[in-house]
């Protein structure tokens, strides 16, 4: 049940807010991908693009300040992985399953799904929890707070005069997505208003909580989907096609990002009347949404009153009109050599051998799930198909739905990893590589381990599982296109 002292929204609510935006000449140069898709080497590349890049706020680095007052990591050459042992603020208990970390110091293709903050947070969880909030406030989160304040005072960032809902468009070759950025009213999962579909782990929540509570800000939106096709979407399309944008930026990937502000109270009321009875699915940002709710409880316990912490910065997209792109997330098992993985798999799976990764990927694409492609430094690939039905049935949990048990990530988590290979699905044993099977194989080759290549889940399966109140295993989905960070921020004052 939701905590009785917390506000309980009676529907999906998207509140206008006074957005905080950069005033620089090149708005693309100050934006970044979401924090958990930024590697250590990416940080320096973003800062080389623009010294005021938003990465300085979302991934503050520990370390002494340089003589010019900037953090040392901003002025020093990139030396690989940044330090990631800073303390995080003390947090209430959080769920215990979720994201994995990749190896520090790995190249960007290997570490892209695991930011320095997540690696730091995972190590804090391993060491028995986080330190007190005073230490967290000092550094690096205090650096983010001080940088945010300095940029607001100097005019690098400005706060819009009027509260607004922001129409956000991403467009490019094969890409068109439009949605609304605003303050979403926070709701417990059991209220069935905002539906999570993946599990989370406490480390990243502790890290994001330290950042949000210290900066008193939401610095990047989560990504929500809803089944719409109503007046809100029609208004979004009208704004995007008839009004001049507030911000326009083209990022290096060729995607054009445009932003409009809706300040008319009649239009805002129309949007919320349409949204009120709908459900939203968390497409990206499970840890940040969980952090929003932990921060809400923390602020209510401290202040005893309602406030900006009862809402969280979100991008809401009508998936009926703008269907999302769902990509696969692959696994790398650095401690399991490929020959051993194949040998063990043959006791419960049919194994087909291919002389190249390309031929194995073609076969995987045309094979019904559950199926997995194994590869490593040998250059060969090996397709697992047709699991032994008795072994599979014995391994899968009886308290899960048939649809959940049929997901390839569920079979991997409940059967292949623990029963076939004798390991748990955690950040020590399993590393994560988003989207690119070649990147996963390169990481496996570098570590002497095994890459496990998966097909993406079907959007309808994810939606159905979430609608039943279940959650898919961690790192099962990667919805896109993800919102660009830095186009509009939200502060609590």
């Amino acid at each position: 049940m939701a905590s009785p002292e917390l506000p309980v929204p009676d529907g999906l609510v998207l509140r206008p807010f006074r957005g905080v935006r950069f005033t620089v000449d090149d708005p693309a140069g100050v934006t970044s991908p979401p924090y958990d898709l930024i590697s250590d080497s990416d940080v320096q590349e973003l800062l080389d693009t623009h010294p005021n890049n938003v990465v300085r706020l979302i991934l503050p680095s520990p370390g002494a300040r340089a003589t010019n007052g900037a953090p040392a990591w901003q002025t020093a050459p990139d030396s690989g992985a940044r330090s990631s042992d800073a303390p995080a603020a003390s947090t209430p208990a959080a769920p215990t399953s979720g994201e994995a970390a990749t190896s520090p110091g790995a190249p960007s293709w290997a570490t892209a799904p695991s930011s320095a903050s997540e690696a730091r947070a995972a190590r804090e969880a391993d060491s028995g929890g986080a330190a007190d909030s005073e230490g967290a406030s000092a550094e690096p989160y205090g650096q983010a707070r001080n940088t945010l304040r300095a940029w607001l005072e100097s005019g690098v960032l400005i706060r819009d005069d009027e509260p607004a809902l922001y129409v956000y468009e991403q467009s490019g070759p094969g890409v068109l997505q439009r949605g609304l950025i605003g303050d979403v009213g926070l709701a417990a999962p059991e209220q069935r208003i905002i539906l999570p579909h993946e599990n989370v782990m406490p480390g990243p929540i502790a890290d994001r909580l330290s950042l949000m509570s210290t900066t008193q800000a939401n610095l990047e939106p989560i990504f929500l989907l809803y089944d719409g096709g109503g007046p809100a979407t029609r208004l979004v399309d009208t704004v995007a096609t008839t009004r001049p944008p507030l911000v326009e930026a083209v990022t290096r990937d060729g995607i054009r990002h445009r932003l409009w502000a809706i300040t008319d109270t009649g239009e805002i009321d129309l949007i919320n009347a349409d949204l009120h009875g709908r459900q939203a699915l968390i497409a990206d940002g499970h840890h940040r949404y969980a952090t929003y709710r932990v921060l809400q409880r923390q602020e209510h316990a401290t202040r005893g009153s309602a406030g900006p912490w009862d809402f969280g910065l979100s991008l809401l997209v009508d998936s009926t009109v703008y269907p999302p792109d769902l990509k696969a997330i692959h696994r790398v098992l650095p401690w399991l050599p490929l020959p051993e993985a194949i040998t063990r798999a043959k006791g419960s799976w049919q194994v087909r051998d291919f002389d190249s990764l390309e031929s194995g990927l073609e076969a995987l694409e045309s094979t019904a799930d559950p199926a997995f492609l194994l590869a490593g430094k040998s250059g060969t690939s090996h397709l697992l198909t047709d699991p032994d039905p008795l072994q599979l049935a014995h391994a899968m949990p009886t308290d899960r739905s048939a649809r959940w048990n049929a997901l390839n990530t569920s079979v991997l988590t409940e059967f292949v990893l623990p029963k076939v290979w004798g390991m748990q699905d955690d950040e020590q044993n399993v590393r994560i590589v988003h989207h690119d099977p070649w990147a996963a194989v390169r990481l496996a080759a570098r570590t002497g381990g095994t890459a496990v290549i998966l097909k993406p889940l079907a959007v309808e399966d994810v939606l159905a599982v979430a609608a039943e109140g279940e959650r898919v295993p961690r790192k099962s989905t990667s919805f896109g296109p993800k919102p660009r960070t830095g186009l509009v921020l939200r502060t609590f004052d």
Side-chain angles (χ1 to χ4, degrees), residues 174-199:
V175 175
L176 177 61
Q177 178 171 278
R178 293 172 182 151
L180 288 160
I181 296 177
D183 282 356
V184 73
L186 304 182
E190 58 265 27
Q191 293 176 251
R192 317 300 297 151
I193 297 172
I194 298 176
L195 306 178
H197 74 269
E198 276 190 357
N199 287 323

Side-chain angles (χ1 to χ4, degrees), residues 30-108:
V30 294
T31 67
S32 79
Y35 84 102
D36 56 347
L37 292 179
I38 301 174
S39 72
D40 295 332
S41 58
D42 292 336
V43 169
Q44 191 59 50
E45 182 178 340
L46 290 166
L47 290 172
D48 289 342
T49 301
H50 200 290
N52 299 127
N53 191 280
V54 72
V55 75
R56 288 186 60 189
L57 302 178
I58 63 172
L59 285 180
S61 174
R65 290 184 175 273
T67 55
N68 64 354
W73 55 265
Q74 181 183 341
T75 58
D78 186 16
S79 58
R82 288 171 288 137
S83 173
S84 53
D85 57 358
S90 177
T91 69
T96 57
S97 61
E99 302 187 354
T102 57
S103 59
S108 59

Side-chain angles (χ1 to χ4, degrees), residues 197-198 324-331 365 369-372 403-413 453-466 471-479:
H197 74 269
E198 276 190 357
D325 181 21
L326 183 54
K327 296 183 178 179
I329 303 180
H330 309 298
R331 272 64 170 166
E365 182 65 27
D369 277 324
F372 307 96
R403 190 186 290 265
W404 190 95
N405 278 331
L407 300 174
N408 60 10
T409 51
S410 299
V411 173
L412 181 66
T413 300
I453 308 303
L454 294 83
K455 290 189 294 184
L457 299 183
V459 173
E460 56 266 27
D461 286 336
V462 176
L463 295 175
V465 166
R471 302 191 189 191
V472 300
R474 69 182 184 91
K475 289 300 183 184
S476 288
T477 61
S478 179
F479 283 97

